[in-house]
Amino acid sequence: MHAPSAALPMTPIGHIASDFPDKFGIPRQPGLAEAARARLVLAPPFDDPLAVRGLEAFSHLWLTFVFHLSPERWTPLVRPPRLGGNARVGVFASRSTHRPNRLGLSLVELVAIDTRAGVSLTLRGADLVDGTPVLDIKPYLPWAEARPEARAGFAPEAPAALPVRFTRDAEAALTARTDGDSLRALIAQVLAQDPRPAYRRGAEERVYGVRLRDLDVRFRAQADAEGNTLLEVVEIVAV
């Protein structure tokens, strides 16, 4: 067997414009926040409309991308959030962003294709930070790639979603915006995944901030009457 050369140069075919200016708060898997909007803008010479001919017939796409904000260094063991951030597994037994070559794979819904000036794809449910370089697009084939009988190791099911409530001030800030309804859905879906570090669970007084679109959404974990944790949006501030 002939091993390939050490260097395998790749050129991004485009970049993502998304609701997530920062890494913190991005859902850890695609599809968990369906209100998340994104556009994949193809770059020359890949922005030829001929390159996406027929793509409109598919509802979902695989995107191969680069975790460009993650460090280039990697370690053989990582700490998945689903295991509380303490237990270690091999990097290849995880979906960690800290991995060799920093490659990621995301399944997104294709909403629209615009070829009026180059090519841009409107996407739903993306888990990608703004500016993410995309290396490739492939149509999703459910008959070949959906395997409901598959084992899923330490993540056998979707994480439990936490309730989210909004203070009066937060509700007022949403009402004042033209995108208030979609923004409210986005905030609720993102916070329901509890973006806090995995070792921070339960109620606490600390206020966190997550960047969504052009806003800083500040929230804290509270306990309801039964002692269950919920996340409360206390303030929404324009950045």
PDB file of all heavy atoms in Angstrom, residues 126-152:
ATOM      1  N   ALA A 126     -28.645  24.559  11.137  1.00  0.00           N
ATOM      2  CA  ALA A 126     -27.186  24.420  11.101  1.00  0.00           C
ATOM      3  C   ALA A 126     -26.578  24.671  12.478  1.00  0.00           C
ATOM      4  O   ALA A 126     -27.065  25.496  13.249  1.00  0.00           O
ATOM      5  CB  ALA A 126     -26.587  25.388  10.080  1.00  0.00           C
ATOM      6  N   ASP A 127     -25.501  23.971  12.768  1.00  0.00           N
ATOM      7  CA  ASP A 127     -24.772  24.125  14.032  1.00  0.00           C
ATOM      8  C   ASP A 127     -23.384  24.700  13.751  1.00  0.00           C
ATOM      9  O   ASP A 127     -22.384  24.218  14.282  1.00  0.00           O
ATOM     10  CB  ASP A 127     -24.658  22.777  14.753  1.00  0.00           C
ATOM     11  CG  ASP A 127     -23.993  21.708  13.886  1.00  0.00           C
ATOM     12  OD1 ASP A 127     -23.950  21.879  12.650  1.00  0.00           O
ATOM     13  OD2 ASP A 127     -23.523  20.701  14.445  1.00  0.00           O
ATOM     14  N   LEU A 128     -23.327  25.741  12.933  1.00  0.00           N
ATOM     15  CA  LEU A 128     -22.061  26.253  12.420  1.00  0.00           C
ATOM     16  C   LEU A 128     -21.872  27.719  12.788  1.00  0.00           C
ATOM     17  O   LEU A 128     -22.773  28.543  12.593  1.00  0.00           O
ATOM     18  CB  LEU A 128     -22.017  26.098  10.898  1.00  0.00           C
ATOM     19  CG  LEU A 128     -22.228  24.666  10.380  1.00  0.00           C
ATOM     20  CD1 LEU A 128     -22.410  24.670   8.878  1.00  0.00           C
ATOM     21  CD2 LEU A 128     -21.067  23.784  10.789  1.00  0.00           C
ATOM     22  N   VAL A 129     -20.683  28.047  13.271  1.00  0.00           N
ATOM     23  CA  VAL A 129     -20.375  29.418  13.631  1.00  0.00           C
ATOM     24  C   VAL A 129     -20.217  30.263  12.370  1.00  0.00           C
ATOM     25  O   VAL A 129     -19.836  29.758  11.301  1.00  0.00           O
ATOM     26  CB  VAL A 129     -19.094  29.472  14.498  1.00  0.00           C
ATOM     27  CG1 VAL A 129     -17.860  29.098  13.689  1.00  0.00           C
ATOM     28  CG2 VAL A 129     -18.921  30.832  15.145  1.00  0.00           C
ATOM     29  N   ASP A 130     -20.536  31.535  12.481  1.00  0.00           N
ATOM     30  CA  ASP A 130     -20.403  32.455  11.357  1.00  0.00           C
ATOM     31  C   ASP A 130     -18.963  32.455  10.842  1.00  0.00           C
ATOM     32  O   ASP A 130     -18.014  32.542  11.622  1.00  0.00           O
ATOM     33  CB  ASP A 130     -20.794  33.864  11.817  1.00  0.00           C
ATOM     34  CG  ASP A 130     -20.945  34.830  10.667  1.00  0.00           C
ATOM     35  OD1 ASP A 130     -21.843  34.635   9.842  1.00  0.00           O
ATOM     36  OD2 ASP A 130     -20.151  35.789  10.605  1.00  0.00           O
ATOM     37  N   GLY A 131     -18.803  32.343   9.530  1.00  0.00           N
ATOM     38  CA  GLY A 131     -17.474  32.337   8.930  1.00  0.00           C
ATOM     39  C   GLY A 131     -16.886  30.967   8.704  1.00  0.00           C
ATOM     40  O   GLY A 131     -15.769  30.847   8.172  1.00  0.00           O
ATOM     41  N   THR A 132     -17.599  29.902   9.074  1.00  0.00           N
ATOM     42  CA  THR A 132     -17.067  28.543   8.927  1.00  0.00           C
ATOM     43  C   THR A 132     -16.720  28.230   7.469  1.00  0.00           C
ATOM     44  O   THR A 132     -17.562  28.395   6.576  1.00  0.00           O
ATOM     45  CB  THR A 132     -18.093  27.508   9.431  1.00  0.00           C
ATOM     46  OG1 THR A 132     -18.261  27.660  10.837  1.00  0.00           O
ATOM     47  CG2 THR A 132     -17.637  26.089   9.131  1.00  0.00           C
ATOM     48  N   PRO A 133     -15.496  27.759   7.190  1.00  0.00           N
ATOM     49  CA  PRO A 133     -15.147  27.346   5.829  1.00  0.00           C
ATOM     50  C   PRO A 133     -15.763  25.976   5.513  1.00  0.00           C
ATOM     51  O   PRO A 133     -15.645  25.044   6.304  1.00  0.00           O
ATOM     52  CB  PRO A 133     -13.615  27.251   5.855  1.00  0.00           C
ATOM     53  CG  PRO A 133     -13.186  27.798   7.185  1.00  0.00           C
ATOM     54  CD  PRO A 133     -14.348  27.675   8.106  1.00  0.00           C
ATOM     55  N   VAL A 134     -16.407  25.876   4.373  1.00  0.00           N
ATOM     56  CA  VAL A 134     -17.026  24.622   3.938  1.00  0.00           C
ATOM     57  C   VAL A 134     -16.192  24.032   2.806  1.00  0.00           C
ATOM     58  O   VAL A 134     -15.812  24.734   1.865  1.00  0.00           O
ATOM     59  CB  VAL A 134     -18.478  24.854   3.481  1.00  0.00           C
ATOM     60  CG1 VAL A 134     -19.073  23.578   2.893  1.00  0.00           C
ATOM     61  CG2 VAL A 134     -19.320  25.338   4.657  1.00  0.00           C
ATOM     62  N   LEU A 135     -15.924  22.726   2.901  1.00  0.00           N
ATOM     63  CA  LEU A 135     -15.078  22.056   1.921  1.00  0.00           C
ATOM     64  C   LEU A 135     -15.871  21.306   0.862  1.00  0.00           C
ATOM     65  O   LEU A 135     -15.388  21.120  -0.258  1.00  0.00           O
ATOM     66  CB  LEU A 135     -14.130  21.072   2.623  1.00  0.00           C
ATOM     67  CG  LEU A 135     -13.150  21.683   3.624  1.00  0.00           C
ATOM     68  CD1 LEU A 135     -12.347  20.577   4.298  1.00  0.00           C
ATOM     69  CD2 LEU A 135     -12.222  22.676   2.945  1.00  0.00           C
ATOM     70  N   ASP A 136     -17.083  20.845   1.217  1.00  0.00           N
ATOM     71  CA  ASP A 136     -17.831  20.043   0.250  1.00  0.00           C
ATOM     72  C   ASP A 136     -19.302  19.989   0.640  1.00  0.00           C
ATOM     73  O   ASP A 136     -19.669  20.208   1.805  1.00  0.00           O
ATOM     74  CB  ASP A 136     -17.260  18.622   0.185  1.00  0.00           C
ATOM     75  CG  ASP A 136     -17.691  17.862  -1.066  1.00  0.00           C
ATOM     76  OD1 ASP A 136     -18.205  18.508  -2.008  1.00  0.00           O
ATOM     77  OD2 ASP A 136     -17.523  16.632  -1.098  1.00  0.00           O
ATOM     78  N   ILE A 137     -20.136  19.695  -0.348  1.00  0.00           N
ATOM     79  CA  ILE A 137     -21.584  19.515  -0.188  1.00  0.00           C
ATOM     80  C   ILE A 137     -21.948  18.184  -0.830  1.00  0.00           C
ATOM     81  O   ILE A 137     -21.505  17.882  -1.942  1.00  0.00           O
ATOM     82  CB  ILE A 137     -22.382  20.624  -0.913  1.00  0.00           C
ATOM     83  CG1 ILE A 137     -21.947  22.014  -0.465  1.00  0.00           C
ATOM     84  CG2 ILE A 137     -23.879  20.427  -0.732  1.00  0.00           C
ATOM     85  CD1 ILE A 137     -22.458  23.113  -1.389  1.00  0.00           C
ATOM     86  N   LYS A 138     -22.760  17.400  -0.119  1.00  0.00           N
ATOM     87  CA  LYS A 138     -23.290  16.172  -0.719  1.00  0.00           C
ATOM     88  C   LYS A 138     -24.747  16.017  -0.314  1.00  0.00           C
ATOM     89  O   LYS A 138     -25.104  16.275   0.838  1.00  0.00           O
ATOM     90  CB  LYS A 138     -22.495  14.946  -0.262  1.00  0.00           C
ATOM     91  CG  LYS A 138     -21.107  14.854  -0.867  1.00  0.00           C
ATOM     92  CD  LYS A 138     -20.396  13.587  -0.430  1.00  0.00           C
ATOM     93  CE  LYS A 138     -19.009  13.504  -1.054  1.00  0.00           C
ATOM     94  NZ  LYS A 138     -18.264  12.317  -0.573  1.00  0.00           N
ATOM     95  N   PRO A 139     -25.606  15.579  -1.232  1.00  0.00           N
ATOM     96  CA  PRO A 139     -27.008  15.330  -0.869  1.00  0.00           C
ATOM     97  C   PRO A 139     -27.117  14.185   0.133  1.00  0.00           C
ATOM     98  O   PRO A 139     -26.363  13.210   0.079  1.00  0.00           O
ATOM     99  CB  PRO A 139     -27.664  14.954  -2.204  1.00  0.00           C
ATOM    100  CG  PRO A 139     -26.731  15.433  -3.263  1.00  0.00           C
ATOM    101  CD  PRO A 139     -25.364  15.349  -2.671  1.00  0.00           C
ATOM    102  N   TYR A 140     -28.070  14.325   1.044  1.00  0.00           N
ATOM    103  CA  TYR A 140     -28.370  13.282   2.030  1.00  0.00           C
ATOM    104  C   TYR A 140     -29.347  12.286   1.420  1.00  0.00           C
ATOM    105  O   TYR A 140     -30.373  12.671   0.848  1.00  0.00           O
ATOM    106  CB  TYR A 140     -28.971  13.927   3.277  1.00  0.00           C
ATOM    107  CG  TYR A 140     -29.553  12.951   4.276  1.00  0.00           C
ATOM    108  CD1 TYR A 140     -28.730  12.155   5.066  1.00  0.00           C
ATOM    109  CD2 TYR A 140     -30.935  12.838   4.438  1.00  0.00           C
ATOM    110  CE1 TYR A 140     -29.260  11.269   5.989  1.00  0.00           C
ATOM    111  CE2 TYR A 140     -31.473  11.964   5.368  1.00  0.00           C
ATOM    112  CZ  TYR A 140     -30.635  11.181   6.135  1.00  0.00           C
ATOM    113  OH  TYR A 140     -31.164  10.307   7.050  1.00  0.00           O
ATOM    114  N   LEU A 141     -29.034  10.993   1.546  1.00  0.00           N
ATOM    115  CA  LEU A 141     -29.883   9.929   1.021  1.00  0.00           C
ATOM    116  C   LEU A 141     -30.417   9.105   2.187  1.00  0.00           C
ATOM    117  O   LEU A 141     -29.693   8.270   2.744  1.00  0.00           O
ATOM    118  CB  LEU A 141     -29.091   9.023   0.070  1.00  0.00           C
ATOM    119  CG  LEU A 141     -28.453   9.707  -1.148  1.00  0.00           C
ATOM    120  CD1 LEU A 141     -27.660   8.695  -1.955  1.00  0.00           C
ATOM    121  CD2 LEU A 141     -29.519  10.377  -2.009  1.00  0.00           C
ATOM    122  N   PRO A 142     -31.669   9.320   2.607  1.00  0.00           N
ATOM    123  CA  PRO A 142     -32.173   8.626   3.797  1.00  0.00           C
ATOM    124  C   PRO A 142     -32.183   7.114   3.661  1.00  0.00           C
ATOM    125  O   PRO A 142     -31.952   6.402   4.642  1.00  0.00           O
ATOM    126  CB  PRO A 142     -33.586   9.195   3.968  1.00  0.00           C
ATOM    127  CG  PRO A 142     -33.943   9.791   2.653  1.00  0.00           C
ATOM    128  CD  PRO A 142     -32.664  10.249   2.042  1.00  0.00           C
ATOM    129  N   TRP A 143     -32.413   6.597   2.454  1.00  0.00           N
ATOM    130  CA  TRP A 143     -32.465   5.144   2.298  1.00  0.00           C
ATOM    131  C   TRP A 143     -31.102   4.497   2.486  1.00  0.00           C
ATOM    132  O   TRP A 143     -31.002   3.311   2.820  1.00  0.00           O
ATOM    133  CB  TRP A 143     -33.029   4.767   0.926  1.00  0.00           C
ATOM    134  CG  TRP A 143     -32.277   5.344  -0.243  1.00  0.00           C
ATOM    135  CD1 TRP A 143     -32.552   6.510  -0.894  1.00  0.00           C
ATOM    136  CD2 TRP A 143     -31.129   4.796  -0.890  1.00  0.00           C
ATOM    137  NE1 TRP A 143     -31.648   6.723  -1.910  1.00  0.00           N
ATOM    138  CE2 TRP A 143     -30.759   5.677  -1.930  1.00  0.00           C
ATOM    139  CE3 TRP A 143     -30.371   3.638  -0.706  1.00  0.00           C
ATOM    140  CZ2 TRP A 143     -29.676   5.449  -2.769  1.00  0.00           C
ATOM    141  CZ3 TRP A 143     -29.285   3.403  -1.540  1.00  0.00           C
ATOM    142  CH2 TRP A 143     -28.950   4.300  -2.559  1.00  0.00           C
ATOM    143  N   ALA A 144     -30.042   5.264   2.296  1.00  0.00           N
ATOM    144  CA  ALA A 144     -28.697   4.717   2.445  1.00  0.00           C
ATOM    145  C   ALA A 144     -28.056   5.097   3.772  1.00  0.00           C
ATOM    146  O   ALA A 144     -27.214   4.356   4.287  1.00  0.00           O
ATOM    147  CB  ALA A 144     -27.803   5.203   1.302  1.00  0.00           C
ATOM    148  N   GLU A 145     -28.451   6.245   4.335  1.00  0.00           N
ATOM    149  CA  GLU A 145     -27.704   6.799   5.468  1.00  0.00           C
ATOM    150  C   GLU A 145     -28.477   6.849   6.774  1.00  0.00           C
ATOM    151  O   GLU A 145     -27.885   7.110   7.822  1.00  0.00           O
ATOM    152  CB  GLU A 145     -27.209   8.196   5.090  1.00  0.00           C
ATOM    153  CG  GLU A 145     -26.214   8.127   3.946  1.00  0.00           C
ATOM    154  CD  GLU A 145     -26.006   9.442   3.221  1.00  0.00           C
ATOM    155  OE1 GLU A 145     -26.899  10.306   3.264  1.00  0.00           O
ATOM    156  OE2 GLU A 145     -24.948   9.594   2.609  1.00  0.00           O
ATOM    157  N   ALA A 146     -29.785   6.611   6.759  1.00  0.00           N
ATOM    158  CA  ALA A 146     -30.554   6.570   8.004  1.00  0.00           C
ATOM    159  C   ALA A 146     -30.508   5.142   8.547  1.00  0.00           C
ATOM    160  O   ALA A 146     -30.936   4.206   7.872  1.00  0.00           O
ATOM    161  CB  ALA A 146     -31.994   7.002   7.760  1.00  0.00           C
ATOM    162  N   ARG A 147     -29.995   4.980   9.741  1.00  0.00           N
ATOM    163  CA  ARG A 147     -29.866   3.663  10.357  1.00  0.00           C
ATOM    164  C   ARG A 147     -30.454   3.696  11.764  1.00  0.00           C
ATOM    165  O   ARG A 147     -29.731   3.828  12.748  1.00  0.00           O
ATOM    166  CB  ARG A 147     -28.388   3.241  10.405  1.00  0.00           C
ATOM    167  CG  ARG A 147     -27.791   2.880   9.050  1.00  0.00           C
ATOM    168  CD  ARG A 147     -28.375   1.557   8.565  1.00  0.00           C
ATOM    169  NE  ARG A 147     -27.773   1.104   7.320  1.00  0.00           N
ATOM    170  CZ  ARG A 147     -28.268   1.352   6.122  1.00  0.00           C
ATOM    171  NH1 ARG A 147     -29.363   2.096   6.008  1.00  0.00           N
ATOM    172  NH2 ARG A 147     -27.687   0.874   5.040  1.00  0.00           N
ATOM    173  N   PRO A 148     -31.785   3.594  11.904  1.00  0.00           N
ATOM    174  CA  PRO A 148     -32.399   3.676  13.234  1.00  0.00           C
ATOM    175  C   PRO A 148     -31.977   2.558  14.169  1.00  0.00           C
ATOM    176  O   PRO A 148     -32.098   2.687  15.387  1.00  0.00           O
ATOM    177  CB  PRO A 148     -33.900   3.619  12.926  1.00  0.00           C
ATOM    178  CG  PRO A 148     -34.005   3.025  11.567  1.00  0.00           C
ATOM    179  CD  PRO A 148     -32.780   3.450  10.836  1.00  0.00           C
ATOM    180  N   GLU A 149     -31.473   1.448  13.628  1.00  0.00           N
ATOM    181  CA  GLU A 149     -31.049   0.332  14.480  1.00  0.00           C
ATOM    182  C   GLU A 149     -29.617   0.495  14.986  1.00  0.00           C
ATOM    183  O   GLU A 149     -29.126  -0.329  15.773  1.00  0.00           O
ATOM    184  CB  GLU A 149     -31.163  -0.987  13.704  1.00  0.00           C
ATOM    185  CG  GLU A 149     -30.063  -1.234  12.677  1.00  0.00           C
ATOM    186  CD  GLU A 149     -30.257  -0.484  11.362  1.00  0.00           C
ATOM    187  OE1 GLU A 149     -31.193   0.334  11.278  1.00  0.00           O
ATOM    188  OE2 GLU A 149     -29.465  -0.720  10.426  1.00  0.00           O
ATOM    189  N   ALA A 150     -28.943   1.553  14.572  1.00  0.00           N
ATOM    190  CA  ALA A 150     -27.534   1.735  14.929  1.00  0.00           C
ATOM    191  C   ALA A 150     -27.365   1.993  16.425  1.00  0.00           C
ATOM    192  O   ALA A 150     -28.207   2.615  17.069  1.00  0.00           O
ATOM    193  CB  ALA A 150     -26.942   2.895  14.132  1.00  0.00           C
ATOM    194  N   ARG A 151     -26.259   1.509  16.989  1.00  0.00           N
ATOM    195  CA  ARG A 151     -25.906   1.812  18.373  1.00  0.00           C
ATOM    196  C   ARG A 151     -25.253   3.188  18.423  1.00  0.00           C
ATOM    197  O   ARG A 151     -24.525   3.570  17.514  1.00  0.00           O
ATOM    198  CB  ARG A 151     -24.954   0.759  18.936  1.00  0.00           C
ATOM    199  CG  ARG A 151     -25.529  -0.655  18.947  1.00  0.00           C
ATOM    200  CD  ARG A 151     -24.660  -1.600  19.779  1.00  0.00           C
ATOM    201  NE  ARG A 151     -23.262  -1.551  19.376  1.00  0.00           N
ATOM    202  CZ  ARG A 151     -22.739  -2.270  18.384  1.00  0.00           C
ATOM    203  NH1 ARG A 151     -23.518  -3.078  17.673  1.00  0.00           N
ATOM    204  NH2 ARG A 151     -21.449  -2.191  18.094  1.00  0.00           N
ATOM    205  N   ALA A 152     -25.485   3.916  19.511  1.00  0.00           N
ATOM    206  CA  ALA A 152     -24.965   5.283  19.613  1.00  0.00           C
ATOM    207  C   ALA A 152     -24.134   5.488  20.868  1.00  0.00           C
ATOM    208  O   ALA A 152     -24.046   6.605  21.386  1.00  0.00           O
ATOM    209  CB  ALA A 152     -26.108   6.289  19.561  1.00  0.00           C
TER     210      ALA A 152
END
